[in-house]
Amino acid sequence: MAGWSNTPLPASQQWRLAEKRPSTDGLVDNIDPRESTELQELPQYEKNTEESPLPLKEKLITLFWIGLNTFSTLGLIFLSKRVFSDEQLKACQLMVVMWHFTATGLVLFISTRGPFRAFKAIRLNPWDMLPVCAFFAGYVVLGNLSLTYNSIGFYQLSKVMTTPCVVLINFALFRKTVTRYMLAAILATCIGVSFTINEAAKTQLFGVIIATLAFCSTALYQIWIGKKIEDFAVSGPQLLLNQAPISVLLLIPFVPFFDKIPDLSLVPTNILYSVCASGIMASLYNLSQFLIIGRTSALTFNIVSHLKTIMILSIGWYSEGKILSSREWLGVLLALSGGWVYSHLALKAKQRK
């Protein structure tokens, strides 16, 4: 290279350079005689790139959160179904949701304090949060209404339609397209759900309409929340901690118009216990979900989600004594398989980017 000479310097000059030189930056063949950790801090491209296995303790902690998330999901659905079976509480949809938001906010706040410190609390501008909170409250209320007026099995299966709805909205608003294989998986999901909807439509058309509004609002919320997490530069738990109390305040003005104040003395004690327990389950579900996302891969999270869907469907049908027809079995298999294939293809597409 021009400007460089291979002629060695006198020993005295080499000694002075060794004393004055602050680091090895910009040098090629020289070695700084002083002890330094700079070389260890540089990228080591020749080293084995395989990740070291997780310690047993970390694996057990992850399994604990997965188990807690599965338990809290099942508990929340079945407890809420039991709560809304009471005629008085069935007319208190907003107040039950407000209780769930309050419990979630309290648990998230406690988790930011010692000794837990699961994440760092960040305060966001309430005015910027209003649209997000409105979406949040809307999709949760519609989800509870769907659970109230539909069977557990149909409620859970209709939620599978959220993914096709997200794809449709993304295409309509942002012209985002998917591959032909993803489209085929989505089509299989839609056909599968349609095979299970006939009987429900004959008996409870209002429930089908509510279920449709529920998964459409969920899809809109998922798209909106993904954008806002990027805009605010926060994590999911940080955003939820800000959402929960504001969502409660947003619902208060609507309570006199949509809810009837219940006479708690007439509500059975076991139903009141279910109300309290459902709030705890809601908070544990939200907290464990974010911790699973942070501790595992997207693939693991999707596997857990699909396994929970199968468990909820199975337990729901068993508890209701429902016997599926061959058409309904085919619909369930198509819906679950389509959702699984789409998730797998979507994850592979993300890994290529």
Side-chain angles (χ1 to χ4, degrees), residues 156-176:
Q156 187 64 28
L157 202 59
S158 67
K159 291 175 67 176
V160 177
M161 288 295 294
T162 300
T163 298
C165 194
V166 168
V167 173
L168 180 61
I169 293 172
N170 273 326
F171 175 75
L173 298 182
F174 309 110
R175 288 294 181 265
K176 291 184 178 179

Side-chain angles (χ1 to χ4, degrees), residues 78 151-152 199 313-324:
F78 287 94
S151 66
I152 291 175
E199 184 180 344
L313 289 173
S314 303
I315 297 173
W317 288 328
Y318 176 79
S319 64
E320 295 164 0
K322 182 177 176 62
I323 300 176
L324 298 182

